[in-house]
Amino acid sequence: MRSFCPQTGQSPWSNWITNHGTKARDKSKIFPSQTLLKEGSNVMFCCVSPVGVNITSITLRNIPYPLLNIGDGVKAILVSNLAIPTNLFKILSVTCTDSAGKTSSVGKFVSFPPQKPRNLSCTTSDMININCSWDPGRKRDQYDRNNQTHTLHIENSDQAPIPCQPSSCIFPAVPQRQEYNIRVEVKDQLGEEMATYSFNISDRVSPLLKWDGVIPEVTEVSMSWTVLGNLTQNNFLCQVSVDAETIRELTLRCENGLCKVRLEGLHPNMGYSAKARCSVNGRLWGKWTWPKLFTTDPLVTLDLWRRIDYRSDSDIRRVTLLWKPHIFGRATTVKIQAYTVKWSQEGQTLTELKDSRQSQADISIGPKKCNFTIQAVLNMGFSIPAHITILPKDNSEISPLTKRLNKTSAGGFSLWWDERTSVTCGYTVEWCILGGSASCALQWIKVPEGNNTLFLPPGHFKSGCRYSFNIYGCTEHGDKLLEIQTGYTQELRSVKYPSLIKLVKSTHASVTLEWHYDEEDAAQPAFITGYLVTVQKVQSDTPPVLFNVSVGNPRQKSLTIEGLQQHQEYVCSVSALTKVGPGLPVSITIRTKINYFSHLTKILTPILLLLGCTALLWPLRKMLKNVLKKIFAYPAGMNIKTLEFESFLNEIDQKLQSHKVEECIGCDIEVLHIKPLWYESSILRTPEHTNTMCSPAFQPSLPPSCVPLQTGYCPQSTVLLCERPTHQQTMCIANKSYLSTTAEPQEVEFSEIRSSFETSDSYQRSCAAVYGYISNS
């Protein structure tokens, strides 16, 4: 070895020394010999065995590692990235075993070197002592054997080094010094680190506060604290935090270090926790004070309303005052001891005391304006007084607007009204169950100014109950009724049936019904929109005949049903109609009258028609008689009697009755009436013949004539009637027929009558063709 010195130069070399190494005697030796090892390093553990003995294994934490042959009797293992043990005392155990069966163990501690201090900062709260703090970095275990030392050096001062805590250091300020240059050193067995910091002590003032007092009220609190230390500033920027509220930043003027502040906007009867801190320049803030607990005072308000009963025979009014106490907060128990009721009218003031269990007061007043004030008496004072004004009595006041609520919202009520410019202090909505057996339990809700809607949830209302909502507008002179709204949360169809049905008028084809019903009855479970009248015919063997008539006006209580049958029984039912359907019906049975006029008409109509025709044809009686003679006259020269001819046909008909339809045969019938100089023959031919000819010629000078024949049920063929000259006249009847065996007589029905005249050189003929039926009778 040799040394170097800047003044004298280098020294000569020392003498050589020979190191023969360590020799083990009784048991093996383990290296390295130091107790503390560095975390993360690569370490070679060596075992030196006694003479004549070899190392057989080396373990670390009872884990064997591969052996490395270093020399005669020396073995080693290599451990990379050494880690801190996880056991309680952080000891790393190394064990060597030799061939003689002996073991040697040693414990090693593993730690990490010191870290450089971070975020070094210094402050003072009284300009006397300076407090420096930093982040020491990685936290050491309590069983760590690597002990550290922390030292603060004021480099621009001759003061001695100052021993410090692992993360802070307090030292006295140097008199008359503003600027400081400091150095913090951290040393241990594995190395050392340091950090530097420079500051002006005037910029590093951090005020320290001490609570002086906290005085809570209902919605505010007064707080005061003292700034500790020799600080000459009178103005401080302070911050106050009350529970989870936003931090309020205030600029305060403190006298002799005493700062006062008043916080508003708190909730009554509620517990709070407050803390504060201050700053000189707004850049460096002092520490927060310890939390200060306090509770605001209770708040009791009265929701006041009134009901006025007017007497028609007097100016005296009965006013019922109703109130609801509201206690805010639950931090402490608030007990109401009594209520004071004051009212003044025409310069006279009266006071009445009510028990704490009462919630209304009945007072009689005159027709003039009256002011009421109610206040709750508490065990710690009084509540906020509630005021209400009763307007003077006005008999000429216009009736309020009435409205029917047709729609509800989710089972509740959605109220809406027109805004009034005269309303200056909001609205009041009061309601009551209408039609109930018990007295009305008046309810009310105050609505702030500028809002003209209100939703009332369904929990306070029942289906099928009618509610009336009175909407009042508040002015500086009192409350005035603006609107009345009535409705149901849900209408039901089980309304009452009409109390009475009377048959007012009855005819052969109509009935008039009349009933009585109170459609404005508040006990009804729905609004009455009209009536349903049903008329049903009482008849068991045929389907019932129904007449359904709806009356759309609930005030109309009579109806006439027309189109009925005479002398019939009908069941008439009447039920009240609602928006959800008809209610319970009530019925009555009636019978229509007999229509005598219709029977008389049936009898008189043919008589009158006959008389009318007679009257019309009487002047023409002579002309009609001649025409009928010409139509029904027999041919000239024939002496045929009508009765004889009819008896003849009847006789023939009786003889032919035995023939069936399929057995009907043709017959020849001759009817002779011989007069001088003429001959007539009549032949009924078989159905095969299609033409019938008359014997010799007619004289053209003779006029043709046709004889009407009565015919019966069977279809007949053509019947030809021919006239002969006067000296030889023959009537020829050709009949092609099928005679039915039906015994029932049938009426004569003529289907067709045609006449034709043909003339030849040898004769002239006149014929009449008759189609019809021959009656069996």
Side-chain angles (χ1 to χ4, degrees):
M1 296 177 63
R2 67 178 179 176
S3 64
F4 290 88
C5 184
Q7 289 81 12
T8 60
Q10 59 187 9
S11 68
W13 286 100
S14 66
N15 295 326
W16 287 99
I17 297 176
T18 301
N19 187 357
H20 297 284
T22 300
K23 298 296 183 180
R25 292 184 180 182
D26 296 332
K27 61 179 181 179
S28 301
K29 292 186 177 181
I30 301 174
F31 297 92
S33 59
Q34 67 266 27
T35 306
L36 187 64
L37 301 178
K38 185 179 179 179
E39 180 189 26
S41 62
N42 298 328
V43 181
M44 182 176 286
F45 294 97
C46 299
C47 290
V48 180
S49 63
V51 178
V53 179
N54 294 325
I55 300 298
T56 57
S57 68
I58 301 175
T59 61
L60 177 67
R61 290 178 295 184
N62 297 325
I63 300 174
Y65 280 76
L67 296 178
L68 301 176
N69 191 7
I70 303 300
D72 186 16
V74 179
K75 302 292 183 180
I77 61 173
L78 179 63
V79 180
S80 301
N81 193 15
L82 194 64
I84 297 177
T86 57
N87 52 28
L88 180 61
F89 298 102
K90 306 294 185 288
I91 297 177
L92 194 65
S93 177
V94 181
T95 302
C96 296
T97 305
D98 57 20
S99 57
K102 295 182 179 180
T103 60
S104 298
S105 299
V106 66
K108 303 293 183 181
F109 293 94
V110 181
S111 183
F112 54 90
Q115 293 183 322
K116 183 177 181 178
R118 296 176 294 178
N119 302 326
L120 179 58
S121 177
C122 298
T123 61
T124 179
S125 61
D126 53 8
M127 299 297 289
I128 298 174
N129 295 315
I130 299 175
N131 185 3
C132 295
S133 61
W134 59 85
D135 181 6
R138 185 177 178 182
K139 186 178 180 180
R140 293 183 179 275
D141 190 84
Q142 60 178 343
Y143 298 103
D144 196 326
R145 297 296 182 90
N146 188 15
N147 296 324
Q148 291 182 335
T149 60
H150 299 78
T151 307
L152 186 146
H153 301 267
I154 304 176
E155 295 184 345
N156 57 347
S157 173
D158 56 357
Q159 288 189 356
I162 304 169
C164 303
Q165 299 295 325
S167 61
S168 64
C169 191
I170 299 176
F171 61 94
V174 179
Q176 306 301 322
R177 180 172 293 281
Q178 296 291 321
E179 297 292 336
Y180 288 83
N181 298 324
I182 64 173
R183 183 180 78 252
V184 177
E185 292 181 349
V186 182
K187 292 182 180 181
D188 60 15
Q189 300 178 44
L190 299 178
E192 69 176 82
E193 288 287 349
M194 69 174 182
T196 60
Y197 181 65
S198 298
F199 64 92
N200 188 319
I201 190 173
S202 299
D203 297 334
R204 306 304 300 171
V205 178
S206 176
L208 186 64
L209 309 181
K210 178 184 178 181
W211 283 111
D212 183 68
V214 175
I215 303 175
E217 297 179 25
V218 176
T219 58
E220 53 193 28
V221 61
S222 297
M223 297 184 295
S224 61
W225 56 83
T226 301
V227 180
L228 302 178
N230 188 19
L231 300 179
T232 59
Q233 291 87 352
N234 290 326
N235 294 330
F236 289 93
L237 182 62
C238 298
Q239 290 180 338
V240 179
S241 175
V242 179
D243 281 350
E245 291 187 356
T246 304
I247 296 176
R248 305 187 189 188
E249 193 169 289
L250 309 168
T251 300
L252 305 177
R253 182 175 181 84
C254 302
E255 297 180 0
N256 300 325
L258 182 62
C259 303
K260 296 181 180 180
V261 66
R262 187 179 183 87
L263 299 180
E264 299 177 348
L266 303 179
H267 296 284
N269 198 14
M270 182 173 289
Y272 288 95
S273 174
K275 60 183 180 178
R277 67 178 182 176
C278 293
S279 173
V280 174
N281 51 21
R283 295 192 302 271
L284 183 64
W285 290 93
K287 293 182 179 179
W288 288 103
T289 61
W290 290 104
K292 187 70 174 179
L293 302 178
F294 67 93
T295 302
T296 53
D297 293 340
L299 174 63
V300 177
T301 61
L302 299 178
D303 186 5
L304 179 61
W305 190 235
R306 86 292 184 277
R307 181 169 57 195
I308 305 175
D309 294 331
Y310 296 91
R311 297 181 180 178
S312 59
D313 56 346
S314 175
D315 289 335
I316 300 300
R317 295 176 292 175
R318 183 180 179 86
V319 177
T320 301
L321 298 176
L322 305 121
W323 60 84
K324 301 174 185 177
H326 293 286
I327 302 175
F328 296 90
R330 299 180 179 178
T332 60
T333 303
V334 179
K335 184 178 180 180
I336 299 176
Q337 298 177 348
Y339 296 98
T340 59
V341 181
K342 296 181 181 180
W343 69 96
S344 60
Q345 187 177 36
E346 297 180 338
Q348 184 181 5
T349 302
L350 299 174
T351 303
E352 185 177 344
L353 190 65
K354 292 291 183 181
D355 187 78
S356 60
R357 293 171 295 180
Q358 295 181 337
S359 60
Q360 71 177 45
D362 295 327
I363 300 171
S364 298
I365 63 174
K368 301 296 182 179
K369 177 180 177 181
C370 186
N371 294 319
F372 288 91
T373 301
I374 298 182
Q375 199 170 13
V377 180
L378 310 176
N379 52 2
M380 59 189 71
F382 294 90
S383 68
I384 298 177
H387 304 278
I388 196 168
T389 301
I390 306 299
L391 294 174
K393 186 176 181 181
D394 186 5
N395 297 326
S396 63
E397 186 176 355
I398 301 175
S399 300
L401 178 66
T402 59
K403 185 188 299 183
R404 177 176 291 184
L405 298 173
N406 294 323
K407 294 182 179 179
T408 59
S409 177
F413 287 100
S414 293
L415 305 179
W416 175 90
W417 58 88
D418 295 328
E419 287 194 72
R420 308 295 176 92
T421 56
S422 60
V423 176
T424 58
C425 47
Y427 301 88
T428 301
V429 178
E430 70 172 17
W431 69 91
C432 183
I433 301 177
L434 298 180
S437 57
S439 60
C440 172
L442 190 65
Q443 303 291 332
W444 69 92
I445 287 182
K446 301 291 181 66
V447 180
E449 181 185 359
N451 190 359
N452 63 334
T453 59
L454 177 65
F455 174 71
L456 298 174
H460 303 288
F461 304 99
K462 297 180 181 179
S463 299
C465 292
R466 185 183 299 184
Y467 294 88
S468 178
F469 300 93
N470 297 334
I471 301 172
Y472 292 84
C474 177
T475 65
E476 58 182 1
H477 303 292
D479 296 277
K480 184 178 180 181
L481 182 59
L482 304 178
E483 291 186 19
I484 299 176
Q485 301 183 11
T486 307
Y488 298 84
T489 56
Q490 182 180 0
E491 295 188 44
L492 305 178
R493 60 184 299 176
S494 57
V495 295
K496 299 178 182 179
Y497 51 81
S499 61
L500 178 64
I501 293 183
K502 295 191 301 182
L503 182 61
V504 177
K505 181 180 178 182
S506 175
T507 66
H508 67 278
S510 66
V511 293
T512 300
L513 303 176
E514 182 179 308
W515 58 90
H516 298 280
Y517 202 80
D518 185 8
E519 68 277 0
E520 300 297 335
D521 185 6
Q524 294 284 13
F527 287 121
I528 305 302
T529 60
Y531 303 95
L532 177 64
V533 180
T534 301
V535 179
Q536 181 176 354
K537 184 179 180 181
V538 180
Q539 191 171 359
S540 59
D541 54 347
T542 59
V545 180
L546 293 176
F547 293 87
N548 288 333
V549 181
S550 297
V551 179
N553 183 8
R555 299 184 183 276
Q556 178 183 342
K557 300 180 180 66
S558 63
L559 181 68
T560 300
I561 305 295
E562 298 180 347
L564 306 179
Q565 297 179 4
Q566 63 171 336
H567 198 56
Q568 292 290 338
E569 279 192 348
Y570 291 91
V571 177
C572 302
S573 301
V574 179
S575 58
L577 282 178
T578 65
K579 187 175 65 174
V580 293
L584 300 175
V586 62
S587 303
I588 189 175
T589 302
I590 58 95
R591 178 181 290 274
T592 55
K593 297 180 179 180
I594 300 175
N595 190 359
Y596 295 101
F597 179 77
S598 62
H599 291 281
L600 185 61
T601 303
K602 291 179 181 179
I603 298 173
L604 295 179
T605 298
I607 297 175
L608 294 176
L609 289 176
L610 181 59
L611 293 176
C613 293
T614 304
L616 291 175
L617 297 178
W618 184 257
L620 303 176
R621 62 186 182 280
K622 294 182 178 181
M623 182 181 66
L624 291 175
K625 182 178 181 181
N626 296 330
V627 172
L628 292 175
K629 286 182 178 181
K630 293 181 179 181
I631 293 175
F632 296 101
Y634 293 110
M638 296 186 66
N639 188 14
I640 297 177
K641 296 180 180 180
T642 303
L643 295 177
E644 294 178 359
F645 185 71
E646 288 181 358
S647 62
F648 169 76
L649 291 179
N650 289 334
E651 183 180 354
I652 295 301
D653 180 63
Q654 293 295 330
K655 293 179 179 181
L656 294 177
Q657 286 295 324
S658 61
H659 291 279
K660 296 182 180 180
V661 174
E662 61 273 12
E663 298 174 354
C664 186
I665 58 174
C667 301
D668 292 338
I669 301 173
E670 290 186 2
V671 180
L672 300 179
H673 188 77
I674 300 174
K675 290 185 177 181
L677 301 178
W678 65 276
Y679 169 83
E680 183 181 18
S681 113
S682 177
I683 301 173
L684 267 72
R685 300 185 181 273
T686 60
E688 291 84 2
H689 298 283
T690 58
N691 295 314
T692 301
M693 299 299 295
C694 300
S695 48
F698 294 95
Q699 292 182 3
S701 61
L702 297 175
S705 112
C706 296
V707 178
L709 299 179
Q710 293 183 355
T711 58
Y713 179 78
C714 292
Q716 305 297 310
S717 62
T718 304
V719 178
L720 298 179
L721 303 178
C722 305
E723 277 189 355
R724 291 289 187 178
T726 55
H727 64 276
Q728 188 179 5
Q729 187 175 4
T730 303
M731 187 176 83
C732 183
I733 299 176
N735 182 15
K736 299 176 181 179
S737 63
Y738 294 94
L739 301 180
S740 174
T741 58
T742 303
E744 295 181 0
Q746 303 292 334
E747 291 182 359
V748 177
E749 180 179 356
F750 293 96
S751 59
E752 184 179 0
I753 299 176
R754 294 184 300 180
S755 299
S756 60
F757 303 92
E758 296 180 3
T759 306
S760 62
D761 296 336
S762 59
Y763 62 88
Q764 186 178 18
R765 183 178 57 181
S766 173
C767 297
V770 180
Y771 296 84
Y773 297 89
I774 298 176
S775 175
N776 294 331
S777 58

